[in-house]
Amino acid sequence: MTEQGASTSEQRKLKKARHLRINVFFFIVFVFFVALVLRLGVVQIVYGQDYKREVEKTEDVIVSTPVPRGKIYDRNGQVIVDNVAMNAITYTRFQKTSPKEMIATAKQLSTMIELDEEEAEVKDRDLKDYWIATRTEKAAKKIKEEELADKKLEDKDRYKLQIDRITEKDLKEITDEEMKVAAIFRNMNSGYALTPQIIKKNATQDEYSMVSEHLAVLPNVDITTEWDRAYPHEGIFRSVLGNVTKSDEGLPHENLDHFLSRGYKRNDRVGKSQLEFYYEDVLHGQKAKIKNKTDKGGALLSTEVISEGERGKDLVLSIDLDLQTQVEKIVEEELRAEKRKSPYADRAFIVMMEPNTGEVLAMVGKQLVREDGKYVMKDFAFGNVSTQYVMGSSVKGATILAGLKADAISTGTVIHDGGIKSLRFGGNIKKGSYSNNIGSVGIAGALKKSSNVYMFRTALRMLGKDYYPGMSIAIKPEVVRDFRNSFNELGLGVKTGIDLPNETRGQEGAGINKEPGLFLDLSIGQYDSYTPLQLAQYVSTIANGGYRMKPQLVREIYEPSQDEDSGTVFKPFKPEVLNKVSMTKEDIKAVQEGFRQVYQTSGGTAYSVFGRSEYRGFQAAGKTGTAQSYFKVEGRKKPAYTNNVTLVGYAPYDNPEVAFSVVIPHVSSSGTTSNKIIGAKALKAYYDLKKQRESGQTDSNDKEEKEQTEETAE
């Protein structure tokens, strides 16, 4: 074969192989094309609806909006706590909203509204957030390239690095004009997504109208009504009413779990102390609920009102506001007068209650606090349940009943009181009464003249011994416990059960086993400490014949109503007996007679005041008390020697309708009459109001008539 023939043959082979490869290539392309068509068909026909549903997927988010809290009234229908409506401007942040869009809205709002001092306060962290949002290029340079590439770091970690690396010099770039924008931006960004955040709480009518007219160009901004608590009688009973969290405060940290477990949101406004906290479940109402429907990207598609909401239920207190107001003035006057004589006397308390029902008619506490070099009178009514003091001889009625219960004495027991330091024990312990002129007395006389010796010898008899000079005192722990248990039955040293949080039970002194003489001090009210409210419960128990009633501040709970006077009762509160004392009626009558003589007969320790003509007609009974106390003086090693003066009582003695306790700690002289004057004047205020109401001329009626006259004149 020639060379030319061989070359032609090879060319034919190469051409054939090339055609084959091309055909194979086109066949493979055809196969892939067919597979692609089949796959597209499967996707469209088999899975098409699934993908469509995924694209159209939406999310329903329920948002709750606030409603007015329930109101609080006194027993006569006077408003003590009200709600005040305020124009509010809000912003609702959606997940899709960018910081840049929020800043633009904040700039527009800054030309329409003026923030108050609290709303305009911007902290460094808020300014750093604003700096990052408005200076994105500079903020990006705060992150190093290796930190951007580090897969272990999340976006939140990088943001924190940016925050940490912003300097004071960077923040100085923010102008005064921007500060206002930054404050608005902070308010817009402070809460949770899809939850309206208040930008300005108390907008003026001009601001409200301006924003309303421009809502179309203010994305996610709205106007609404915000509710705040109002106190028509500012300062009266204020520390017991409690407080509500602010709109930007959210749930109180110390009660966070308590509220979250009850379905609250973290930014809800709630009662955080005293009555507002205790009755939160009643006062907070049923919030309005709105369903926001968003797409997968977080954009709002539609809204739907699920429920309109309902304001909270109303509380009707047992407190008589007219009486409370008058007694507060009495306490303030007497405390200021006592302060001029006693440098360490800084507070005074009185509780008045119905002994047969436990309803608290007035609960007054005042405290003098030094501010800017002068004393300012503050409400301290809550101190009646949160502070405790040694009460002195006011508790001697409980000592007598403890001795009678233990059969250490009988209603006919007479004991000779030789006076000051008339009892002498081993170890050079000397004890006695305040006077050498007491002599031999029974129970009534011992209470009337406040005999310490009678109480000491009663306590000794409970230990199984009668007094003789130089004797030693051997303590029996079980007797001490029985003694305190008798006090507990009457309300001393145990929680009263009042409908308020954080009530203290008082404090038991320790060390009686080591110093037996302390048991004798306990018997005259010079050792354990009690609250003013416990003192009132104790005397009420004696006044009503032996029933320890639960003190109650709330009489009724009313359903909310548009008509102020037509709400229906949701829950009435009935008198609740906590326990019946184990002492006999005869025992209690013996103490009642002693209490009567304290107030009504010459020589009684309260007669100097209650024997006066203006108070004698009340037919009151009770017991005075003085206890040695100490006041810690700043800058001095040794405390100052002071006295706590107290008073318990009820009236009238033959059919009690009101009982009371008075406590004034840290007075200089044990001979002060401030405790008796407060008790007498408070009792007079009670009876004067009662007389006025029976004749149809109450202070509240006069006030209503005056308001009606003024409205008519206008």
Side-chain angles (χ1 to χ4, degrees):
M1 183 180 295
T2 64
E3 290 184 9
Q4 185 176 0
S7 176
T8 301
S9 176
E10 288 179 4
Q11 289 177 357
R12 288 174 180 166
K13 290 180 180 179
L14 288 172
K15 186 176 181 181
K16 185 176 180 180
R18 191 162 48 248
H19 282 294
L20 180 61
R21 285 196 294 272
I22 291 171
N23 289 335
V24 170
F25 172 75
F26 278 115
F27 178 75
I28 292 172
V29 170
F30 174 76
V31 170
F32 275 112
F33 181 76
V34 171
L36 179 61
V37 170
L38 290 173
R39 181 59 181 168
L40 289 174
V42 170
V43 168
Q44 184 172 358
I45 297 171
V46 179
Y47 299 109
Q49 290 300 317
D50 291 340
Y51 287 117
K52 183 178 180 181
R53 282 192 294 269
E54 183 66 24
V55 171
E56 295 176 351
K57 184 178 180 180
T58 61
E59 183 177 0
D60 293 336
V61 180
I62 306 298
V63 177
S64 299
T65 58
V67 294
R69 291 175 70 81
K71 299 180 181 182
I72 301 178
Y73 299 86
D74 87 327
R75 67 190 297 119
N76 300 311
Q78 295 189 73
V79 177
I80 298 178
V81 183
D82 206 345
N83 298 303
V84 57
M86 298 179 295
N87 293 330
I89 298 167
T90 66
Y91 179 84
T92 304
R93 178 170 55 87
F94 295 95
Q95 295 174 353
K96 196 176 181 181
T97 308
S98 68
K100 184 177 180 181
E101 292 172 319
M102 294 174 66
I103 292 292
T105 302
K107 286 181 178 179
Q108 288 180 286
L109 281 173
S110 68
T111 64
M112 302 178 189
I113 62 176
E114 289 291 336
L115 302 182
D116 62 29
E117 185 177 346
E118 184 178 350
E119 292 167 333
E121 183 182 358
V122 185
K123 298 179 181 179
D124 281 353
R125 173 55 195 261
D126 301 322
L127 289 176
K128 289 180 179 181
D129 289 329
Y130 175 81
W131 189 90
I132 291 175
T134 55
R135 292 156 175 82
T136 53
E137 292 184 3
K138 289 184 178 181
K141 293 179 181 179
K142 298 289 184 181
I143 305 298
K144 301 175 183 178
E145 290 186 7
E146 56 268 27
E147 291 169 340
L148 286 172
D150 190 348
K151 295 182 179 179
K152 294 181 180 179
L153 292 177
E154 299 180 7
D155 288 342
K156 64 179 181 180
D157 300 319
R158 297 187 182 94
Y159 190 81
K160 186 178 183 304
L161 291 173
Q162 287 177 309
I163 291 291
D164 294 340
R165 291 168 183 171
I166 295 174
T167 65
E168 288 294 326
K169 183 179 179 181
D170 292 330
L171 294 181
K172 287 181 179 179
E173 297 175 3
I174 300 175
T175 65
D176 291 341
E177 291 183 0
E178 285 185 288
M179 290 294 289
K180 185 176 178 180
V181 179
I184 294 174
F185 176 69
R186 184 276 316 277
N187 294 344
M188 295 165 66
N189 205 33
S190 61
Y192 300 92
L194 296 176
T195 301
Q197 300 301 312
I198 295 177
I199 299 171
K200 183 170 177 60
K201 183 169 66 172
N202 199 8
T204 66
Q205 193 57 47
D206 289 342
E207 291 172 331
Y208 196 75
S209 299
M210 176 70 75
V211 173
S212 177
E213 292 170 3
H214 292 83
L215 287 178
V217 294
L218 293 171
N220 308 334
V221 174
D222 203 354
I223 54 175
T224 187
T225 299
E226 173 68 5
W227 299 94
D228 208 354
R229 284 311 229 180
Y231 305 91
H233 312 276
E234 186 61 44
I236 302 294
F237 200 53
R238 187 66 185 82
S239 62
V240 173
L241 296 174
N243 293 301
V244 178
T245 56
K246 298 178 181 178
S247 55
D248 59 348
E249 189 177 352
L251 300 179
H253 178 74
E254 62 273 18
N255 297 311
L256 184 61
D257 293 339
H258 169 84
F259 286 115
L260 290 178
S261 66
R262 286 161 174 76
Y264 284 79
K265 305 297 182 184
R266 289 179 179 268
N267 65 333
D268 282 346
R269 296 187 65 190
V270 298
K272 63 178 181 180
S273 60
Q274 305 356 326
L275 277 174
E276 292 277 16
F277 172 77
Y278 194 91
Y279 285 100
E280 166 62 25
D281 291 346
V282 173
L283 289 168
H284 83 282
Q286 186 66 40
K287 293 189 293 185
K289 293 185 178 181
I290 299 174
K291 181 193 292 184
N292 289 319
K293 181 172 287 189
T294 62
D295 62 18
K296 190 178 180 182
L300 181 66
L301 299 177
S302 64
T303 61
E304 176 187 351
V305 177
I306 299 176
S307 64
E308 294 289 347
E310 185 179 71
R311 77 171 179 88
K313 296 178 176 63
D314 298 329
L315 301 183
V316 176
L317 304 186
S318 61
I319 293 293
D320 184 327
L321 185 60
D322 293 331
L323 179 63
Q324 176 81 21
T325 302
Q326 291 189 32
V327 176
E328 289 203 8
K329 291 179 181 178
I330 292 167
V331 173
E332 287 184 9
E333 291 172 359
E334 294 303 318
L335 179 56
R336 289 189 187 278
E338 185 62 51
K339 184 67 176 178
R340 290 192 286 269
K341 300 178 291 183
S342 304
Y344 306 119
D346 67 343
R347 64 194 66 186
F349 307 96
I350 179 171
V351 178
M352 303 182 75
M353 60 193 297
E354 292 187 355
N356 298 304
T357 65
E359 292 186 11
V360 179
L361 302 173
M363 181 185 288
V364 177
K366 293 295 176 180
Q367 185 175 23
L368 283 168
V369 179
R370 199 168 184 83
E371 293 182 357
D372 299 327
K374 59 183 179 180
Y375 285 103
V376 178
M377 191 71 71
K378 300 282 189 179
D379 182 77
F380 194 34
F382 189 62
N384 282 289
V385 300
S386 65
T387 61
Q388 65 272 333
Y389 310 92
V390 286
M391 299 299 189
S393 298
S394 288
V395 306
K396 284 180 178 176
T399 298
I400 294 295
L401 289 171
L404 289 168
K405 177 184 175 183
D407 292 327
I409 58 174
S410 69
T411 55
T413 298
V414 175
I415 294 176
H416 181 75
D417 185 340
I420 302 171
K421 298 181 180 179
S422 59
L423 301 187
R424 299 171 183 271
F425 299 91
N428 200 32
I429 298 174
K430 300 176 183 179
K431 291 185 178 295
S433 297
Y434 69 96
S435 170
N436 286 322
N437 298 317
I438 294 180
S440 297
V441 290
I443 288 176
L447 291 171
K448 171 184 174 178
K449 297 184 178 182
S450 200
S451 169
N452 287 346
V453 170
Y454 199 101
M455 308 304 147
F456 293 151
R457 294 188 63 171
T458 296
L460 289 173
R461 291 184 180 190
M462 290 181 69
L463 291 171
K465 292 187 176 183
D466 205 352
Y467 171 75
Y468 60 87
M471 68 180 292
S472 61
I473 306 172
I475 287 298
K476 298 178 181 179
E478 65 275 12
V479 172
V480 177
R481 187 68 268 160
D482 289 344
F483 186 90
R484 282 175 167 153
N485 285 342
S486 294
F487 273 49
N488 295 166
E489 283 189 55
L490 295 160
L492 295 171
V494 291
K495 290 186 177 181
T496 66
I498 192 171
D499 44 340
L500 283 174
N502 304 317
E503 179 188 9
T504 182
R505 63 183 293 271
Q507 186 174 4
E508 290 184 354
I512 286 180
N513 292 334
K514 295 181 180 179
E515 297 182 52
L518 295 176
F519 182 47
L520 303 186
D521 294 340
L522 175 62
S523 71
I524 61 169
Q526 297 266 16
Y527 196 52
D528 287 359
S529 58
Y530 315 107
T531 68
L533 182 62
Q534 287 175 343
L535 211 58
Q537 188 181 56
Y538 143 75
V539 75
S540 292
T541 304
I542 291 175
N544 67 33
Y547 296 89
R548 186 166 77 97
M549 305 302 298
K550 177 181 178 180
Q552 192 69 50
L553 281 174
V554 174
R555 299 182 79 195
E556 295 170 319
I557 298 175
Y558 273 76
E559 292 281 6
S561 173
Q562 297 298 325
D563 185 344
E564 297 285 341
D565 299 322
S566 63
T568 57
V569 176
F570 171 75
K571 180 181 179 182
F573 288 88
K574 297 180 179 179
E576 182 178 342
V577 178
L578 296 177
N579 63 267
K580 172 73 169 69
V581 300
S582 55
M583 301 79 173
T584 67
K585 290 183 179 180
E586 290 72 20
D587 294 344
I588 294 173
K589 285 181 179 179
V591 172
Q592 289 173 341
E593 173 57 22
F595 278 10
R596 185 193 68 81
Q597 292 189 25
V598 169
Y599 275 60
Q600 298 298 319
T601 62
S602 178
T605 56
Y607 186 76
S608 62
V609 172
F610 283 87
R612 298 174 186 174
S613 58
E614 64 266 39
Y615 305 129
R616 189 172 178 80
F618 304 149
Q619 297 184 318
K623 186 72 186 75
T624 60
T626 303
Q628 297 176 2
S629 60
Y630 299 92
F631 187 90
K632 187 174 182 181
V633 182
E634 188 176 352
R636 285 172 50 177
K637 291 183 178 180
K638 292 184 178 180
Y641 171 80
T642 59
N643 299 274
N644 299 340
V645 291
T646 62
L647 180 74
V648 295
Y650 52 87
Y653 56 75
D654 56 349
N655 187 23
E657 60 184 67
V658 59
F660 59 90
S661 68
V662 179
V663 179
I664 312 176
H666 307 307
V667 302
S668 296
S669 172
S670 60
T672 183
T673 58
S674 295
N675 53 333
K676 302 168 194 173
I677 294 296
I678 289 176
K681 287 185 175 181
L683 203 55
K684 185 176 187 303
Y686 170 84
Y687 278 111
D688 285 350
L689 277 171
K690 180 181 179 181
K691 185 177 180 180
Q692 290 170 9
R693 285 166 178 162
E694 288 174 348
S695 64
Q697 298 177 351
T698 67
D699 290 351
S700 57
N701 286 341
D702 291 342
K703 182 179 179 181
E704 290 175 2
E705 289 173 6
K706 180 181 178 182
E707 291 174 347
Q708 291 172 0
T709 302
E710 290 174 348
E711 290 173 359
T712 303
E714 290 174 357

